């Protein structure tokens, strides 16, 4: 990426506070929902948590995002989303209906750009993906993203904020309870999302 082609520094600086607020909002969505859970005695059940993530996938799909982008949007690994689609036929039908809705409104995957695409780019970068990979996940070409970056102080501010955040807390966007374990490492003991086990 040619840093010399950035928009004017003053415009980027002006956009920075809003970009930082947006990233904080993305990072604290689960925490912000906790007061609603407390009304029902605290922790969500594993089923409730899964259904909430599935709802996020449907929301992302209805906005024209493909499966990889929807997984990032919902904060789940792609492999887990694939399993849900294979093993839950009702969910698979709902995802297809959401994709049909998006297409009917001109938002099919790989089509017209919308704010959801930018959100996924930033979420992917926030969790440590490269520029090229983040663009690919969101369904946009790297060159198109670069063109948008060069003309948008807000996008520059969002990218800068996402990169700074990931350097402080690498890979922290994806909930640790959903991250695949690496060989030789123990399970995470902090930072994971707690849920109640469903009754058998």
């Amino acid at each position: 990426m040619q840093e010399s082609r950035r928009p004017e520094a003053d415009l980027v600086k002006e956009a920075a506070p809003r970009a930082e607020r947006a990233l904080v909002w993305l990072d604290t969505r689960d925490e912000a929902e906790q007061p609603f859970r407390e009304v029902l005695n605290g922790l969500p059940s594993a089923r409730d948590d899964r259904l909430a993530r599935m709802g996020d996938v449907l929301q992302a799909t209805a906005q024209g995002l493909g499966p990889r982008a929807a997984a990032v949007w919902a904060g789940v690994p792609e492999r887990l989303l694939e399993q849900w689609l294979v093993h839950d036929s009702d969910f698979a039908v709902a995802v297809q209906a959401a994709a049909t809705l998006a297409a009917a409104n001109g938002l099919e995957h790989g089509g017209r750009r919308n704010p959801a695409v930018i959100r996924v780019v930033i979420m992917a970068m926030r969790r440590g993906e490269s520029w090229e990979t983040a663009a690919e996940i969101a369904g946009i070409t790297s060159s198109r993203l670069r063109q948008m970056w060069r003309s948008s102080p807000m996008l520059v501010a969002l990218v800068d904020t996402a990169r700074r955040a990931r350097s402080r807390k690498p890979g922290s966007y994806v909930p640790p309870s959903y991250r695949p374990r690496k060989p030789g490492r123990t399970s995470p003991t902090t930072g994971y999302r707690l849920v109640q086990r469903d009754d058998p």
Side-chain angles (χ1 to χ4, degrees), residues 62-175:
Q63 295 188 65
L65 299 176
R68 291 185 74 191
V72 170
W73 181 291
V76 298
E78 291 174 46
R79 189 171 58 203
L80 180 59
L81 175 54
E82 290 169 3
Q83 290 174 0
W84 287 347
L85 290 168
V86 168
H87 298 295
D88 189 328
S89 59
D90 291 332
F91 176 61
V93 168
V95 169
Q96 183 55 53
T100 301
L101 175 66
N105 287 278
L107 295 175
E108 57 271 308
H109 179 54
R112 185 164 59 90
R113 304 283 72 87
N114 64 54
V117 170
I118 303 306
R119 176 171 163 176
V120 168
V121 165
I122 297 306
M123 292 174 79
M125 287 184 177
R126 170 67 182 85
R127 72 178 193 178
E129 301 292 357
S130 69
W131 176 276
E132 291 77 13
T133 301
E136 180 185 334
I137 288 170
I140 186 173
T141 65
S142 178
S143 59
R144 176 64 179 134
L145 180 59
R146 186 172 292 111
Q147 182 182 24
M148 295 167 65
W149 180 88
R150 290 171 177 160
S151 63
S152 171
M154 181 55 72
L155 183 53
V156 172
L158 286 165
V159 169
D160 289 350
T161 303
R163 287 177 170 166
R164 280 194 306 274
R166 78 182 181 199
S167 66
R168 288 195 304 267
K169 297 164 78 174
S172 65
Y173 175 71
V174 177

Side-chain angles (χ1 to χ4, degrees), residues 1-24:
M1 185 166 35
Q2 301 175 17
E3 298 293 331
S4 61
R5 302 286 298 271
R6 288 169 62 105
E8 291 182 21
D10 288 346
L11 296 177
V12 175
K13 185 176 180 181
E14 183 180 319
R18 291 174 59 210
E20 289 172 5
R21 285 194 299 273
L23 266 290
V24 167

Side-chain angles (χ1 to χ4, degrees), residues 51-69:
L51 289 174
R53 300 294 161 179
M54 287 178 165
D56 288 341
V57 169
L58 294 174
Q59 180 186 28
T61 305
Q63 295 188 65
L65 299 176
R68 291 185 74 191

Side-chain angles (χ1 to χ4, degrees), residues 45-56:
S45 69
R47 183 198 63 197
D48 290 344
D49 185 69
R50 184 181 69 252
L51 289 174
R53 300 294 161 179
M54 287 178 165
D56 288 341

